[in-house]
Amino acid sequence: MIYELMLGNYPDSYWFQYDSTVVDSYEFLQCKESQSNKQVVFKLENKVSEKRLLSYDFYFSDGPDFISPRLANLLSNNQDFLHDVQLIEATIIVNGRSYSGYKALNILRLISCIDMNKSEYIPLLESLPDGPKKFFEIVFKENINEQFCMARCKESIGRIVISESLRQFFIKNKVKGIDLYT
């Protein structure tokens, strides 16, 4: 079984801005390993409680998603995860202070996982009926034979899915910031 990676009890004020001058956001949608060795930067313009914000493990931005040093450390020995995801050094800036040890997720796997016959959608552009889709309801394929931990959906590149084993790993380690129960 697969699950869409979804926000879970994640405040709007915690959405980061991605500094795309170092690595373009588009590169994170290519499912290819980044050759850049530059550290990426995420900034939070809102004034927030740093203690509360830094208690999260999974973060969202207007660019790639990223994870806490705690979660990066937990995943550092998970070879299946590291086969599917490149972790890129990241710094976050909150209330004018810099924090290092964060990792941006560059997802390397692309799998066909949406059942297009059972899902409801329309083409995003009428002139490109086979191009990007706007989904109203998504039904995932039931029997995906491909082994993966985390991947992008071939039918909707912006969507990220996780495997049951990764979901269980996140539940066991009480990962905060994503919804693991839907």
Side-chain angles (χ1 to χ4, degrees):
M1 183 159 221
I2 65 171
Y3 300 87
E4 185 172 359
L5 187 66
M6 304 284 286
L7 292 172
N9 202 12
Y10 191 81
D12 289 342
S13 60
Y14 289 3
W15 278 85
F16 281 79
Q17 290 79 44
Y18 174 65
D19 181 355
S20 61
T21 59
V22 177
V23 177
D24 191 284
S25 297
Y26 183 70
E27 277 192 43
F28 287 93
L29 296 173
Q30 299 302 303
C31 297
K32 294 180 182 169
E33 196 164 325
S34 174
Q35 300 306 313
S36 175
N37 58 358
K38 296 180 181 174
Q39 190 160 309
V40 296
V41 177
F42 298 89
K43 296 179 183 175
L44 190 62
E45 298 298 327
N46 299 325
K47 294 288 182 197
V48 297
S49 163
E50 290 176 45
K51 182 179 179 183
R52 206 166 143 226
L53 170 75
L54 299 177
S55 73
Y56 280 75
D57 293 302
F58 220 97
Y59 298 90
F60 297 88
S61 79
D62 58 1
D65 299 332
F66 62 101
I67 59 175
S68 69
R70 180 186 92 88
L71 184 53
N73 186 49
L74 288 170
L75 290 167
S76 67
N77 293 321
N78 186 326
Q79 291 306 311
D80 292 335
F81 179 81
L82 296 174
H83 180 264
D84 293 349
V85 180
Q86 178 186 15
L87 298 176
I88 297 175
E89 291 292 328
T91 296
I92 65 170
I93 300 172
V94 180
N95 298 335
R97 294 179 57 184
S98 293
Y99 296 90
S100 59
Y102 290 80
K103 306 285 186 189
L105 302 177
N106 183 24
I107 298 165
L108 305 174
R109 296 291 298 271
L110 180 67
I111 63 170
S112 177
C113 57
I114 297 176
D115 187 327
M116 298 302 282
N117 294 323
K118 294 180 181 175
S119 298
E120 292 181 34
Y121 61 91
I122 59 171
L124 208 50
L125 301 169
E126 287 183 32
S127 60
L128 291 172
D130 293 329
K133 312 281 188 259
K134 177 180 180 180
F135 286 88
F136 301 105
E137 181 181 350
I138 292 179
V139 176
F140 289 112
K141 293 177 179 176
E142 290 184 25
N143 297 321
I144 296 177
N145 295 327
E146 196 167 345
Q147 296 297 314
F148 75 98
C149 274
M150 184 178 280
R152 290 191 177 279
C153 295
K154 185 176 182 181
E155 299 82 1
S156 181
I157 197 93
R159 290 184 201 283
I160 299 169
V161 292
I162 62 173
S163 66
E164 175 64 26
S165 63
L166 185 59
R167 178 179 164 269
Q168 289 301 322
F169 176 87
F170 286 163
I171 290 170
K172 176 184 168 198
N173 290 287
K174 296 179 172 82
V175 170
K176 188 174 175 185
I178 53 177
D179 183 357
L180 297 167
Y181 299 100
T182 57

